[in-house]
Amino acid sequence: MIPFSILDLSPIVEGNTATQALRNTLNLAQHAEQLGYNRYWLAEHHNMPGIASAATSVVIGYVAGGTRTIRVGSGGIMLPNHSPLLIAEQFGTLESLYPGRIDLGLGRAPGSDQATSRALRRDMNGPDTFPQDVVELQHYFQPNDTNQFIQAIPGNGLNVPIWILGSSLFGAQLAAMLGLPYAFASHFAPAELLRALQVYRTQFKPSEHLKAPYAMVAANVIAADTDQEAQRLFTSVQQQFLYIRRGKARQMQPPVDNLDDTWPEYELAGIDSVFRCSAVGSPETIQRGLASIIAQTKANELIISAPIFDHEARKHSLTLTAQAREALAVQQSEPVLA
């Protein structure tokens, strides 16, 4: 059975603080480690009142320091916001502290609005130079070259796996050209998922980093004891996207029984396509949904986004999802009768 991993944005729920959100992140990572999840990735977003993972490298260090075996990384670092040297030093430091456990996922989007992007880097050409910046970043991790005047210390010669993240064909083409693993953000932008995977796999060029294509697919997975309860929990993230589309991002809202009571039909229709790559329901429903996603995408790995208002319900969802994975593994190992 393919590995399952976790994508977390350290959600700040209504009436709570970033402090509690970050503590919940560490507790969830420890829970995921016990359940056998493969990776725990944090995502960079800025100027978002409901997300506490803006200083992504700092949060990665916090999570890695509080866990023992699970890989910890970025899903992702938005490279247009940073100089490649700075990221090489940050992740070289993380790899030096937690050897063999750090991943570096890189995104081309700014993870914010344009005004915030200017405040972060004051250079709006970042997305245009993304391929060159990735190559420069790779160079800083190469073994020490005495002819290289600028060096990443820590960073030189360290094995920090670099991933390309994307939600379009651009990232797929770049990952294929550089021979890097690829993660698709289908948990919120599934439209180009299958085309991007095809482009990545057909255009992939083996490299010193990777001999064959390796694709990870992101999916929303909200599991509860019943379909009704899972659908109710799912309304929190649905509301989050609705508020963002209105330009009124806020802390994560508590779940509601019926979104139709507070949101107009045309806005609800607009988010249906956003959550097409999702599995929401009871353990049986989740198992069927996950099997369908894996069959359609032929993913090498799934990364699960499970943004739930109540922390204990979120932990329970990860437990049920891990159990669904085990059930799928059993199904795959069962002999087929002639």
Side-chain angles (χ1 to χ4, degrees), residues 150-310:
I150 300 174
Q151 301 181 26
I153 304 171
N156 280 133
L158 295 181
N159 181 23
V160 179
I162 292 178
W163 292 65
I164 300 298
L165 315 182
S167 57
S168 68
L169 302 186
F170 181 91
Q173 292 168 331
L174 181 62
M177 181 181 70
L178 297 177
L180 295 174
Y182 178 55
F184 193 90
S186 34
H187 62 302
F188 73 90
E192 298 284 354
L193 170 61
L194 296 181
R195 284 185 64 204
L197 292 176
Q198 181 184 26
V199 166
Y200 172 61
R201 287 166 176 152
T202 56
Q203 297 184 11
F204 182 85
K205 297 179 180 178
S207 70
E208 61 179 310
H209 311 287
L210 195 63
K211 301 306 179 188
Y214 191 95
M216 181 158 63
V217 170
N220 298 291
V221 181
I222 308 294
D225 295 328
T226 66
D227 286 345
Q228 183 178 10
E229 177 57 17
Q231 289 292 344
R232 183 176 180 275
L233 295 175
F234 191 44
T235 62
S236 290
V237 70
Q238 289 174 309
Q239 291 178 81
Q240 220 173 9
F241 271 81
L242 286 164
Y243 280 118
I244 289 171
R245 288 198 165 188
R246 282 187 175 182
K248 299 178 179 179
R250 57 181 63 188
Q251 293 179 332
M252 177 176 274
Q253 300 296 296
V256 296
D257 293 329
N258 191 350
L259 283 174
D260 294 337
D261 294 339
T262 53
W263 292 89
E265 183 178 347
Y266 73 90
E267 286 190 276
L268 294 177
I271 64 166
D272 285 346
S273 60
V274 170
F275 297 115
R276 199 163 65 238
C277 193
S278 301
V280 180
S282 65
E284 295 78 13
T285 302
I286 290 296
Q287 189 174 326
R288 290 194 300 271
L290 291 171
S292 176
I293 292 169
I294 294 168
Q296 289 182 53
T297 64
K298 297 179 175 57
N300 299 100
E301 188 168 342
L302 281 188
I303 187 161
I304 305 301
S305 176
I308 295 174
F309 183 86
D310 180 78

Side-chain angles (χ1 to χ4, degrees), residues 102-113:
I102 301 300
D103 296 324
L104 174 52
L106 300 172
R108 178 172 170 255
S112 60
D113 56 85

Side-chain angles (χ1 to χ4, degrees), residues 5-274:
S5 295
I6 305 296
L7 176 64
D8 185 16
L9 277 66
S10 298
I12 306 173
V13 304
E14 185 183 48
N16 222 318
T17 64
T19 298
Q20 189 58 54
L22 294 168
R23 288 174 178 166
N24 287 345
T25 280
L26 177 56
N27 183 253
L28 194 71
Q30 293 167 337
H31 184 63
E33 183 174 68
Q34 292 173 354
L35 292 170
Y37 284 91
N38 191 36
R39 311 174 199 276
Y40 196 95
W41 279 10
L42 286 305
E44 177 186 351
H45 291 273
H46 300 279
N47 198 28
M48 300 290 285
I51 295 175
S53 57
T56 315
S57 300
V58 178
V59 185
I60 290 170
Y62 174 59
V63 171
T67 53
R68 294 183 298 170
T69 57
I70 195 169
R71 296 192 66 88
V72 188
S74 60
I77 288 290
M78 301 297 107
L79 196 53
N81 298 334
H82 314 278
S83 74
L85 176 61
L86 180 67
I87 296 304
E89 291 172 340
Q90 289 179 2
F91 278 78
T93 301
L94 288 167
E95 175 63 22
S96 298
L97 291 169
Y98 311 105
R101 294 180 55 208
I102 301 300
D103 296 324
L104 174 52
L106 300 172
R108 178 172 170 255
S112 60
D113 56 85
Q114 287 192 350
T116 306
S117 295
R118 283 192 292 270
L120 284 164
R121 198 178 183 187
R122 293 178 168 83
D123 177 5
M124 301 306 291
N125 295 321
D128 298 331
T129 61
F130 182 66
Q132 297 96 310
D133 288 346
V134 173
V135 172
E136 180 183 342
L137 179 52
Q138 285 182 300
H139 191 66
Y140 288 127
F141 288 125
Q142 294 298 313
N144 190 14
D145 182 352
T146 56
N147 294 319
Q148 183 177 327
F149 181 70
I150 300 174
Q151 301 181 26
I153 304 171
N156 280 133
L158 295 181
N159 181 23
V160 179
I162 292 178
W163 292 65
I164 300 298
L165 315 182
S167 57
S168 68
L169 302 186
F170 181 91
Q173 292 168 331
L174 181 62
M177 181 181 70
L178 297 177
L180 295 174
Y182 178 55
F184 193 90
S186 34
H187 62 302
F188 73 90
E192 298 284 354
L193 170 61
L194 296 181
R195 284 185 64 204
L197 292 176
Q198 181 184 26
V199 166
Y200 172 61
R201 287 166 176 152
T202 56
Q203 297 184 11
F204 182 85
K205 297 179 180 178
S207 70
E208 61 179 310
H209 311 287
L210 195 63
K211 301 306 179 188
Y214 191 95
M216 181 158 63
V217 170
N220 298 291
V221 181
I222 308 294
D225 295 328
T226 66
D227 286 345
Q228 183 178 10
E229 177 57 17
Q231 289 292 344
R232 183 176 180 275
L233 295 175
F234 191 44
T235 62
S236 290
V237 70
Q238 289 174 309
Q239 291 178 81
Q240 220 173 9
F241 271 81
L242 286 164
Y243 280 118
I244 289 171
R245 288 198 165 188
R246 282 187 175 182
K248 299 178 179 179
R250 57 181 63 188
Q251 293 179 332
M252 177 176 274
Q253 300 296 296
V256 296
D257 293 329
N258 191 350
L259 283 174
D260 294 337
D261 294 339
T262 53
W263 292 89
E265 183 178 347
Y266 73 90
E267 286 190 276
L268 294 177
I271 64 166
D272 285 346
S273 60
V274 170

